[in-house]
Amino acid sequence: VPRVSGSPLVFEEQVFVPLSSMEIGLSANPFYGCCTTSGAVASLDLRTGQTNWYRRTIPDQPQVTGRHYLFVEEHGPSGAPVWGAPTLDVERRLLYFGTGQNYSHPTTATSDAIFAVDIDSGEPRWIAQFTENDAFNMACTAGGVNCPDPMGPDVDFGAPPILVTLPDGRDAVLAGQKSGDIWAINPDDGTTIWHTRIGRGGALGGIHWGMAVDQENATLFVPISDLPALPGTDEAEPGMFALDIATGTNRWSAPRVQRCEGRQCWSGLSAGITVADGVIVAGALDGLLEVYDAVNGALIWSYDTQIEFDTVNGVAAEGGAIDAHGPVLADNLLIAISGYGSFGQKPGNALLVFELPEEASP
C-alpha cells in the first residue's frame, strides 16, 4: 500500500522519490490489521530505474502488538510517511525531507521529524524530531477500533523544507508543521536556530502543503489553514503571514475572512504557495485565487473559482476548494487547479489558466 504524494526530485543521475502510505485511510476499516508500512525516500537510477538506495523512516520491522475482535491482529511501529517533495542541498550533498505521525503504537523517534540524508548512500546525517508520541490514523475521526490509544495530535511535516541563507551568511532549513510551528534548523547538525508558532494548527494545518521564501528580502511567507479537524482550544487564525528568516518574527499578516459556512468553504490557506516578482499567489479552501503584495500583504487581485466554466475541450467543469498542489507561475501565465474534494471540502474538476496582458508585464 505505498503511495507517492510528493513530487520526485532529479539530480545528476538519481531520481529521489518520497513515499507515504494508503494505510492512513485503510485503518478506518475495523477489520484491517493496522498498521505495517513505513514512510521512505528511494533513490532510483535515472536511466534504468533500478534502486540505488531505499531509506525507511522506521528502521524496525513491524511486529504484532495485539489484536481485536479476537482475530484481527494489530501491528507496529508504522507510519512516519513522507508526504512532500525532498529538498536538495548540493553543497553538503544532503537531502532534507519531513515525516508525518506514526499510524500505530509504539511510536518512534522518526515521526514528525526532519531528516537529512546523504544523497549518495541514503545514510542519515541527522534526524530532528519535533513532536514525540504522535500516533494517529483515520480510524480516530470516528472513534474506530484502530485508533491508537493514546491518540496523538496528527501534526505532520507535509510541506517540503526550504534551504535558505540567513542575512549573517549562515544556512538554515526552514520547516513548517501542521501544528502551526515553524522551525529554522542548522543544516550541519539539526539543531534549532529559532522557532515560532502561528495560528492554532491541527490535523489539517497550521502549515499544510507548502511555504515560500523571498531570499533577497529575507522573508518567509507562510499560508495558514487552521481548518477544523480534531478539537482545538486556540482561536483559528487562517491567512497569510510574513516572517523574518533571521529571527522568525512576524513582519505582517493578512487574515482571511470567513465568507461562508461549513468545511466546504473554509477560509484557510492550505495549498502550497508561489512567490515571484514581489507578489505571492495563493489558492484558498473557499475557492478564491488571490495575489498578495509581498511587501505589506495587501490584496492585489482575487478571483472566485467556485463557479461553472466553459471549457476548451467541451467537458463540463466546476471549481471548488483549492488545496494540496497550489498555483503555478510560468512566464506570463498563472495556472491553478480548482476542486479538491477530500476532507469534506467542495469538489470540482477545473484546470484554470490565466494570462497577464502584455501591457501589464514588467
Side-chain angles (χ1 to χ4, degrees):
V1 284
R3 180 179 189 174
V4 178
S5 57
S7 299
L9 172 68
V10 177
F11 177 66
E12 294 177 345
E13 295 297 313
Q14 297 189 74
V15 182
F16 302 104
V17 182
L19 294 169
S20 53
S21 168
M22 295 291 289
E23 281 195 309
I24 183 68
L26 294 174
S27 59
N29 180 350
F31 298 103
Y32 183 78
C34 176
C35 283
T36 61
T37 54
S38 166
V41 168
S43 167
L44 308 180
D45 185 280
L46 177 62
R47 301 186 184 280
T48 67
Q50 292 184 332
T51 301
N52 298 318
W53 51 259
Y54 187 92
R55 172 53 53 188
R56 287 168 52 94
T57 60
I58 301 176
D60 297 330
Q61 293 295 322
Q63 305 293 327
V64 176
T65 59
R67 63 181 65 237
H68 59 264
Y69 300 158
L70 298 179
F71 61 90
V72 180
E73 291 184 337
E74 301 165 353
H75 304 84
S78 65
V82 185
W83 293 110
T87 299
L88 177 68
D89 185 337
V90 175
E91 180 181 341
R92 295 175 179 83
R93 296 190 71 79
L94 290 177
L95 203 66
Y96 307 112
F97 55 88
T99 63
Q101 82 284 2
N102 291 116
Y103 293 161
S104 58
H105 287 292
T107 57
T108 65
T110 57
S111 59
D112 295 350
I114 300 297
F115 276 63
V117 302
D118 185 283
I119 66 172
D120 298 304
S121 67
E123 290 299 316
R125 182 79 55 86
W126 52 260
I127 302 170
Q129 184 180 50
F130 294 95
T131 302
E132 298 178 346
N133 302 318
D134 183 7
F136 176 89
N137 60 54
M138 293 306 293
C140 300
T141 61
V145 293
N146 276 325
C147 181
D149 183 17
M151 180 185 74
D154 184 19
V155 287
D156 312 39
F157 285 95
I162 304 175
L163 179 64
V164 299
T165 300
L166 303 179
D168 63 7
R170 293 181 298 164
D171 289 340
V173 177
L174 305 182
Q177 196 174 357
K178 291 199 308 186
S179 58
D181 291 281
I182 304 161
W183 309 86
I185 306 165
N186 185 327
D188 294 316
D189 57 16
T191 56
T192 297
I193 299 171
W194 57 255
H195 160 242
T196 190
R197 187 181 184 197
I198 301 175
R200 174 182 61 195
L204 296 174
I207 300 105
H208 206 177
W209 289 114
M211 309 183 296
V213 162
D214 179 349
Q215 179 70 73
E216 183 178 351
N217 293 299
T219 306
L220 170 68
F221 301 104
V222 184
I224 293 293
S225 166
D226 277 3
L227 177 67
L230 299 178
T233 56
D234 299 330
E235 187 73 19
E237 297 184 46
M240 186 72 71
F241 294 76
L243 306 184
D244 187 320
I245 65 171
T247 63
T249 55
N250 192 23
R251 288 185 168 175
W252 56 256
S253 61
R256 298 199 77 253
V257 177
Q258 188 75 357
R259 68 175 180 136
C260 42
E261 298 297 326
R263 291 168 62 91
Q264 280 206 328
C265 197
W266 181 251
S267 62
L269 301 174
S270 174
I273 59 172
T274 298
V275 60
D277 296 328
V279 299
I280 311 156
V281 185
L285 293 173
D286 60 10
L288 288 176
L289 189 61
E290 297 179 333
V291 176
Y292 297 85
D293 188 311
V295 174
N296 55 27
L299 185 63
I300 298 172
W301 177 81
S302 179
Y303 183 88
D304 190 351
T305 71
Q306 285 198 5
I307 60 174
E308 295 181 358
F309 295 93
D310 294 327
T311 65
V312 296
N313 58 346
V315 177
E318 183 175 355
I322 301 176
D323 201 355
H325 305 290
V328 175
L329 294 173
D331 297 324
N332 67 332
L333 300 180
L334 167 60
I335 305 168
I337 297 173
S338 177
Y340 188 91
S342 299
F343 311 117
Q345 297 156 207
K346 187 177 186 303
N349 64 333
L351 172 62
L352 307 175
V353 181
F354 301 83
E355 184 177 18
L356 189 68
E358 289 187 9
E359 61 271 16
S361 302

